[in-house]
Every structure is written in C-alpha cells, then in structure tokens.
Amino acid sequence: KKKTVSFSSMPNDRKINSTAACISLMLEGCELKKVRSNSRMYSRFFVLDADMRSVRWEPSKKDSEKAKIEIKSVKEVRVGKKTPVLRSNGLSDQFPDECAFSIIYGDNYESLDLVASSADVVSAWVMGLRYLVSYGKHSPEAPGTGHPSLRTSWISSVFDLADLEKSGRIPVSRAVQLIKALNPGMKTSTIELKFKELQKASERPGVEVACDLFVEAYCELCTRPEIFFLLVQFSSNKEYLGVKDLLMFLEVEQGMEGVTEEKCLEIVGKYEPSKEGREKGYLAIDGFTRYLLSADCSIFDPQHRKVCQDMAQPLSHYYISSAHSACLLEDNFWGRSDINGYISALGLGCRSIELVLWDGPEGEPVVYTSPSAASCVPFRAVVGLIDQHAFAASAYPLILCLVVRCSAPQQRLAAQCLRKTLGEKLYLEPPNPVASYLPSPEQLKGRILIKGKKLPPSCEDSEGEVSDEEEGWELARRLGQEDREPPEGGGPRRVRLSRELSELVSLCQAVPFQDFESSRRGQRYWEMCSFSEVEAGRFANECPAELVSYNKRFLSRVYPSPMRIDASNMNPQDFWKCGCQMVAMNYQTPGLMMDLNAGWFRQNGACGYVLRPAIMREEVSYFSANAKDSLPGVPAQLLHLKVISGQNLPKPKGSGAKGEVVEPYVCAEIHGIPADCAEHRTKTALQSGDNPIFDESLEFQINLPELAVLRFVVLDDDYIGDEFIAQYTIPFECLQPGYRHVPLQSLAGEPLPHATLFVHVAITDRRGGGKGHRRGLAGRRGRRVREYTSTKATGIKAIDEVFRTATQPLREATDLRENVQNALVSFKELCGLTPAANMKQCILTVSTWLLHSDSTPSVTLNLAEQYPPMEAQGPIPDLLRKVLTAYETMIQTSRTLIESADVVYGKLIQAQQAGMDFHKELHRFETKEGLRGHKLQKALESFAWNITVLKGQADLLKHAKAEALDNLWQIHNAGQSCGIGRNSSASPESSRLRVPLEPIPE
C-alpha cells in the first residue's frame, strides 16, 4: 500500500491554515526536484529570501545572483504538468500530476519546472508564491503581522459573546461546544484533544481557555487546507475573495452563467459569518467553506430538482420507476407484508406498483406475499393507501399492475373497491384506435392506469377465461395454493376473469409475448408484455436491436426471476440499455442495484419518469445496446474527476473497536452501456482520521452520456468483512462542473449527516469546454489519423445513390469540427490549461501574464471586429508569439466553421430527409431487390445506421457552431473585463443573440 498525500504530513506535523504558514515553510526552505528541458531531474534546496523578494536554490553552477528568481518577475504559478517540459514523454509517468508545479517568469516567459515530494508541499509553495506575487502588486502589510484578519476578529467576537462573565476566559467545555456548533460534523473528542495539546504547548493547563488559545484552536481545527488553497488561487489580494474574485470563481471554475455582482453580494450576505466581511462584500475562508458545502453549490444540477424534460412524448418513450413486491420490508418469502412499504415506494416517486390479489378469509380479496396467512393485508386497505399517497411525490400517472390469483366473486369486489375509492383518478377511456402511440405522461397527469388481462371482445358473459401470467406462480407453489397443473400440451395456463375487473383495463392490456415479428405485425400500442428477468436477459444478449425497436412503441415490464428468494435485485441497466421502460425492483433490498435505480430516478424532479435517449426513441435509428465503442452521431464525452478529500466519514457499520481509525479509499464507478462501464479507485488514505486527503485524478470516457450513471463508493481498506462506508449515485447528465461536495449516503440510501466527498468535476466536449483527446499530448496528437464516419451500403441501388451524396458533406463536417477542436486544445495547452478549461479562462490567463509585466500590455484584443484578432504591440517573447499563433489558428478555424456550417448542415439534412422518404417504401424495395433473411436484416440495419449517422453528424455540427459562437462571446466578455481589449463597441451580449440552426425532427 502506498501512503497517500495528507495535508497533515507537513514537517513537524504542520497544518497549512494561513498564507503565513506557507511563507514560513518557504523561508525555512525544502528540497525540490528541478526539471531540465532535457528531461533530467536534479535535487536542489529551494528557499525564500528573508526580505521575501527572491526564491533561491543551491547547489548551483551559476553564481548565487543568477541561481534565483525575483518575485516581481513571476508571471504565473501553474499547478500540475502544465508546461511542455513536464508534459514530455520521458517524464510524464515518473511522478503524479499533483506533485508538479511551474514558475513562469521573466520577460521571455521562461519556466522553472519543479517536482515536490507531496501535494501538500506543492500547495504551500504555490499558495505562498501566488500571495507574494499579489503582495508585490498591492503591497499590503506582511502576512501574520499588524491588523488582525477578518477571521481573527470574527472568532474573537464569537468568544466574547460566550464569555458571559467578561473575564477573558471561558470553560473548556463551553469552548468545545462552541466549535462543534460552528462545525457540526466535528467529533467532540477531536476538539477536546486539540485544546489539551495547545494548553500543554503554551503551559496553560486548566479548565478554562483564553481568547488567543480559542482562536488558535479554531483555526487549526476548522481550516480545510484544500479549500484555503483554492481561495488563495482566486483571491486577488489577501485571505478573502472580493466580489470580483467570487464572480470570476463562479464563472470560470463553476461554469455558472449570468452571474452578477449582486448575486455575489447575496452569496457573501448568506454565507460570510463576520459582520465586517458582509458589510465590505468579502468572503473569507469560513464563508467560502460554508458556501462550498451548501445546497447552492451542490454537485446535483438544480435544474433536475424539478421536472425539466419534455413530458409530451408517448408513455413508451420514458423509463418508469417500478416496484416489485413493494409491500415487503424484508425478503420475498420469509418477509412480513407491511403496508408502509407502499407509502415508502410512492414517496420515492415510484410510478408502477405490483399488486397480487388472493382470496381472503373474510370473503374479501387480500394482498400478501409471505407464506403466513396471518400477515396478509386487505386489498381495500392497500387501495385506500394508494388513493391517499399516489400523487404525493409525482403528479404523473401511476400504473397498478394487477396479478389476479383470486376467484371471480372476489375479483368483482376488488373492481368495485377500485372504482369507489379511486373514482375520477381511474383512467377508463378506451384507447384511440387511429393513434399509433400511447398518450403522454402530461396528458395522463393525476390518473391511475390498471395493467392487467382483458376479456376478448367475443366474450359476452359476466366472466370468461384468459391466459394467465407466469408471474406469481412460484409463490403460489410455496403457499400451497397452486390447485392446478399446467395444461396438457404445454400451452399457457387459463384463469377465470370477471368482466368488472376486465373493464378497468384500458391503456395497459397485458398480453403474452410471441416473438418480435408477430409484435411488429399484430400488437396494438395499448397492449404490453411482461418478461421474466431470464427471458429479457436472453433477448438483450441475442437480439438487442430488436428489443430496442420493440420498446419504441410498446411498454415492456421486466420482473425479477422467481429464483431470487432473498429479494435481491437485478441490474436495471441491463434492461434500460435495451429501452425496457419498467424494470421492477425490490425496493426493500438495499445495495448497488437499488442505488443505481434510486440515483437514476433522482433526475427530472424525481417524478418517476425519465425520457429515454433520442437514439432509442426515433422511429429510424441505429443503436446497438452492446456496443463496445462510440455510437454513430453521439459525441463521446470525457469525465475528468478529481477526488480531493473526505469529510466526517463514519466507521463501517458493525465496526466495534473503539479506537479504530478508518483507512478509506474511494471507488468511482460508471454504469451504462457496456462500452462505458468502468471503475477507478484512489489510493488508500492511511491513518487519516475522519477527514482524509486523496488528491487523485480519475478519467472516464462516456459514449452514451444520457444513459450513464456515476456512483461514488467509500470503502475501508483496513476493516475485515463489512468494509462499506458510504455511497452516492448520480446520473451523468445531472453532474455540475467545478468544485463540489458529494453528499454521502448509507447502504440503505439514507443521508449521512455532514459526511461528504470534496471533488472537482470537468466534462470536455460540453458547452464551454473543448473536446478532450484521449491521447492528450501535443506530440502524439500530430500522428493521430483522422477517422471519418461514413454511410453503409444497403444493397438497394436507388437508396444507396441518395446516401452517397452525403459522403463529401460528412467529411467536411468532421474536418470543420476537428480542426476547431485541435486548435482549441493547442491554444489551451500553451496557456498552461487543461482541455476542460473554457475560453474565458484562457484570455484571463494571458491577461494575467501581461498585467504582471512592468510595461503596458504588449498584446491587445481588437474587440471592434467580430472575430477579434490578438495583436502584438512591438517585439514580444517567444512563448507569447506561440500563444498568438495558436490563438490565430483557433480564430480562423472557428470562423471557417461558423461561416460554412449552415451549408454543410443543409446538405446533411437534405440527404437524411431524402433517405427518410424511402422509409415507407422500404418493403416494396425489399421485394423488388429480392432481399430475404440475413441480407434483408443487413439492409435494414444499414438503412437505420445511415439515417442515424446523418442526423447525428448534423447535430454535432449544429452544436459545434453554437460552441464556436459562444467562445467568441467569451473572448469579448473576458477582453472587456480584464483590460486587454480595445475598441470595444458592441455589447458582448450581441454575440449571444444568434439564430440557432433548426432542430432536427425525430
């Protein structure tokens, strides 16, 4: 096991909780590895001069005046491998990214590339250097002297309020409670230990503490170094963020749009604890920490806290949150029926509940699934409960899946009970025979649908025979209530069904599944099939494309195998990837599968309905559920995830040892289509207490983002047996970029108070960030062969001729997009930024270099032009010259894209629509060309592929144009705000008033 980086592993166990502590470390000096351009590394001792004006290193062949860098000459301090030297192939794998940093200095923008023993040493040097560079500009008082900081004043005022006797001292117990109240997740024992340490060190033992000791204890306990480091990075002067600093952080790092200074003042007013800070508009470390921990800064996209998807699509176009045996609290057969299970499932947004009706002892039907007759629940009570709670969590339709195991007289009672109790909520209108699809969730709002068997139209009696469903018979055998053998000849079982119950079924008529061809020809849109987990799994593996196609029009329900007598759950992703809308889960059984289900249905306002990916809804589209690579027309995205630290992690459940230290590690898992499923873990944080530092970067490629789910799992590496600590599951589409806290949950999905993971999220090839290249190094990128998406031959001459016209536009579309993306990545690399950075960050970085020069800016942006050129004023150093060249390439490729996109887009759409005109005639062409069997299947697949590729590439081009226009807006905006723009006439907003390309109809 490797010992992970921990901020408490500083020399003498020093904690970094102020800039003064960083500068103190730099004044003492430490060993760092100096990296030369020839990729060799040399150990040198680096130290900050006593006058804090230069950094020196020794031994050196240069004389002592040359082996130094003056602070005033420093242009920028970069964290990570952000220079060509550190990115070079020979070095890249020798040390982790977080242990490297670079100092860009001098008029020629030279770089001093350094590698430290750990990330905390890097943090101290980077924080200290950035402060000193800023200190040189603003010349405030030296850190740690003179005027007390905002924070010290505030903590002292808190102490004064608690000092009821005004004696200048308060009892230790009161001091402990005070710190605990300010940091609710902190353990009492940790605070008590800190006071004992400080009292011993200052030789002031006793039951009371003075103000200075209280301030010291608070600062040491309540400063999270990783957040302090972040604050100093964005602070333009001292140990707090001003309104402009905060605005910059929210826009640039957190990806927030439309942020105003008023909004920033609102945040300061809400989270800054000190009165002085609130009055002056300053957010110090405590306020900043509170803000980052708040719901306003959640990792979960606030848009998805309410219904935000199109709810007017047919019902078959949504995943529907579904429960199996919802009334159970334990396992299927030895559990106890409990009516609260229904309330719990409905409260979680469940929209499909299964009810198995049995003959009750009192002449009334009952619902029960355990072998004990004493544990049954009257059907009347269950319906009353459903009536009460059906729409408490969601207004969208609830589907009651009735599995009838009771006699016809008791069925009549059940039907009467449903009509009487549910009244107007019950949907009884007959299906529209001229429609092709089910109504939408929006049209069915507030209605309850009954899924069940229906008597054939030919039956005119009060009851008749219908084929039975397989579901529920396994239980009947165990209950000893199976009073019949399967019919001779192996046909389906027959059961008696009363007309009253049959008449309640409208849009969800249960029918047996024959095969996909029979369904395509004869199944009506209001008929639906239920599949056992085994049967659905076989279709998902053997004929996934047919299952996806089937689910475009019809609802399908997948129920767990009867062999799961422990009520364990199947993996819902196995069936979601094939479009199955209703995957019935045992809500009472916690674990990975239920985490995936609960996490997935957290999106779209947790209303129980999630719109399926477009590629699975469109009438003609190619989608292989078992794809092992990227999909045609769907842009792959890269998730860059940095797991920074954990807060207030509990011990694993069942851990009894009193003094045991948790040694956690974090697993990040992606669940989705097979091509996306992946798992990466951090190193174990050894002896780290409840607040470990991981500081580790993980990366995932996501090929179908709309179906991907990210799950964080925290595990204890030291505990034998029950090593689970916490988890959190979130749909990929709900992730917010930037620095975020992950609210951890228990195995049962309950929130763990104050337990969080601090992470940084960046997604490339999204708005505001360029597409990330998997082979991210500049040197390797040049050898990359460009891949073009092309159409496939169907074997039908007339159709192939139409698709052939799209060959050139497809190449042009790829070239336009890729040229811009390559230029963007090159420009960002030269700015010392990652591919996830946005254009505003790039311009602000360049402006920072220029503003750190003694002369006036040597480069300006001419904002009078639509495509602003970056112009040099006189001679400029080599690095700036390269940046200008890369910027120029990026602007020219963007211009070509913006000006050519509409024409190429038009050609692609024209070919796509011409192809679609053949769709209804396909059958005639198949017959004419004599296509049968495998050849026919191949022709249909190729046709769907071509339509999907043309629509997908047109979509990508549309998004690329929108992104290029937005980059121009960011350049104008950043140029104005940072002072290197000139001739600014039009408002940058004008660039956003653009006419988008027409959306492509499904």
Side-chain angles (χ1 to χ4, degrees), residues 32 35 196 209 317 344 410 414 490 511 542 729 799 869:
L32 301 170
V35 186
K196 279 179 187 169
V209 291
H317 286 186
S344 169
Q410 293 210 9
V511 295
E542 293 173 9
T729 310
I799 294 177

Side-chain angles (χ1 to χ4, degrees), residues 712-758:
F712 294 94
V713 197
V714 187
L715 299 160
D716 183 8
D717 208 11
D718 199 43
Y719 190 73
I720 299 163
D722 187 3
E723 59 173 13
F724 176 90
I725 295 174
Q727 65 83 26
Y728 181 74
T729 310
I730 180 171
F732 180 81
E733 294 282 286
C734 296
L735 282 172
Q736 289 232 87
Y739 288 93
R740 308 284 173 183
H741 281 91
V742 177
L744 294 172
Q745 298 179 338
S746 68
L747 190 64
E750 292 153 355
L752 292 168
H754 313 297
T756 54
L757 285 177
F758 187 44

Side-chain angles (χ1 to χ4, degrees), residues 144 263 266 270 281 295 468 470 477 522 542 553 775 856 988:
K263 173 69 182 169
E266 197 181 298
K270 190 172 178 183
D468 191 15
E470 282 304 305
R477 280 193 284 275
E542 293 173 9
R553 267 191 76 200
R775 309 171 191 180
T856 52

Side-chain angles (χ1 to χ4, degrees), residues 221-418:
L221 286 166
C222 305
T223 306
R224 284 180 44 194
E226 70 276 29
I227 292 183
F228 191 80
F229 182 38
L230 190 59
L231 180 136
V232 172
Q233 197 176 328
F234 281 89
S235 168
S236 57
N237 50 11
K238 293 207 68 187
E239 297 183 7
Y240 54 77
L241 296 173
V243 169
K244 283 189 165 56
D245 302 331
L246 182 57
L247 190 139
M248 188 73 67
F249 172 75
L250 297 176
E251 274 194 346
V252 167
E253 202 54 69
Q254 303 296 89
M256 285 172 67
E257 290 186 345
V259 190
T260 59
E261 291 196 3
E262 289 70 34
K263 173 69 182 169
C264 293
L265 283 169
E266 197 181 298
I267 290 171
V268 172
K270 190 172 178 183
Y271 296 104
E272 174 53 42
S274 73
K275 189 182 174 191
E276 187 189 351
R278 291 194 298 272
E279 286 169 356
K280 292 183 175 177
Y282 295 156
L283 194 64
I285 180 66
D286 298 288
F288 190 43
T289 306
R290 287 180 183 189
Y291 170 64
L292 288 173
L293 279 164
S294 73
D296 289 342
C297 202
S298 166
I299 191 168
F300 190 88
D301 187 344
Q303 269 195 311
H304 275 278
R305 294 197 187 284
K306 53 186 186 297
V307 174
C308 58
Q309 295 176 345
D310 176 8
M311 300 305 283
Q313 301 270 338
L315 210 59
S316 59
H317 286 186
Y318 298 84
Y319 295 113
I320 303 170
S321 180
S322 306
H324 179 255
S325 310
C327 65
L328 287 182
L329 290 183
E330 293 168 39
D331 62 58
N332 267 342
F333 298 114
W334 319 118
R336 189 172 52 82
S337 292
D338 188 313
I339 209 158
N340 290 320
Y342 290 109
I343 302 174
S344 169
L346 291 168
L348 291 167
C350 179
R351 295 289 83 197
S352 164
I353 282 180
E354 175 198 43
L355 299 174
V356 186
L357 274 61
W358 302 89
D359 277 331
E362 307 289 320
E364 267 192 71
V366 294
V367 174
Y368 69 94
T369 47
S370 78
S372 161
S375 68
C376 61
V377 180
F379 179 68
R380 190 171 18 89
V382 174
V383 175
L385 202 71
I386 288 169
D387 178 53
Q388 203 179 334
H389 296 277
F391 303 105
S394 170
Y396 292 98
L398 175 67
I399 301 169
L400 296 184
C401 302
L402 296 189
V403 180
V404 179
R405 295 278 172 263
C406 60
S407 60
Q410 293 210 9
Q411 289 176 32
R412 289 188 195 100
L413 289 174
Q416 288 164 17
C417 172
L418 285 164

Side-chain angles (χ1 to χ4, degrees), residues 45 54 124 171 174 186 190 212 270 381 391 412 421 480 542 568 712 723 730 761 806 843 852 920 924:
F45 188 80
S54 305
R174 196 183 301 166
M186 194 170 285
T190 307
D212 61 334
K270 190 172 178 183
F391 303 105
R412 289 188 195 100
T421 311
E542 293 173 9
S568 59
F712 294 94
E723 59 173 13
I730 180 171
V761 176
I843 302 301
H852 282 178
K920 287 180 180 149
R924 187 169 62 80

Side-chain angles (χ1 to χ4, degrees), residues 756-898:
T756 54
L757 285 177
F758 187 44
V759 299
H760 181 264
V761 176
I763 297 163
T764 53
D765 195 28
R766 264 198 168 176
R767 209 188 146 287
K771 184 175 181 182
H773 294 275
R774 294 175 80 182
R775 309 171 191 180
L777 303 180
R780 295 182 198 169
R781 199 172 59 248
R783 294 199 295 274
R784 184 171 171 263
V785 177
R786 184 165 293 178
E787 293 170 10
Y788 293 98
T789 308
S790 56
T791 54
K792 292 181 179 179
T794 61
I796 302 168
K797 192 177 175 186
I799 294 177
D800 285 342
E801 280 177 7
V802 166
F803 287 133
R804 216 169 284 128
T805 63
T807 306
Q808 192 55 33
L810 279 172
R811 286 185 74 90
E812 287 174 20
T814 303
D815 285 337
L816 287 169
R817 288 187 299 104
E818 292 271 325
N819 289 346
V820 171
Q821 296 297 0
N822 288 344
L824 274 170
V825 172
S826 295
F827 179 55
K828 288 172 185 179
E829 280 187 357
L830 280 165
C831 292
L833 298 168
T834 65
N838 60 34
M839 189 49 60
K840 191 164 188 178
Q841 279 172 288
C842 296
I843 302 301
L844 293 172
T845 300
V846 174
S847 75
T848 306
W849 300 346
L850 300 169
L851 297 173
H852 282 178
S853 300
D854 295 331
S855 56
T856 52
S858 50
V859 172
T860 55
L861 271 171
N862 186 354
L863 299 180
E865 298 189 28
Q866 187 188 353
Y867 300 94
M870 205 179 263
E871 297 161 346
Q873 313 297 314
I876 56 170
D878 188 44
L879 177 69
L880 267 183
R881 176 71 58 203
K882 285 179 182 172
V883 169
L884 257 63
T885 306
Y887 175 85
E888 183 60 29
T889 308
M890 186 264 302
I891 284 289
Q892 287 311 321
T893 53
S894 299
R895 181 174 189 160
T896 308
L897 167 68
I898 291 164

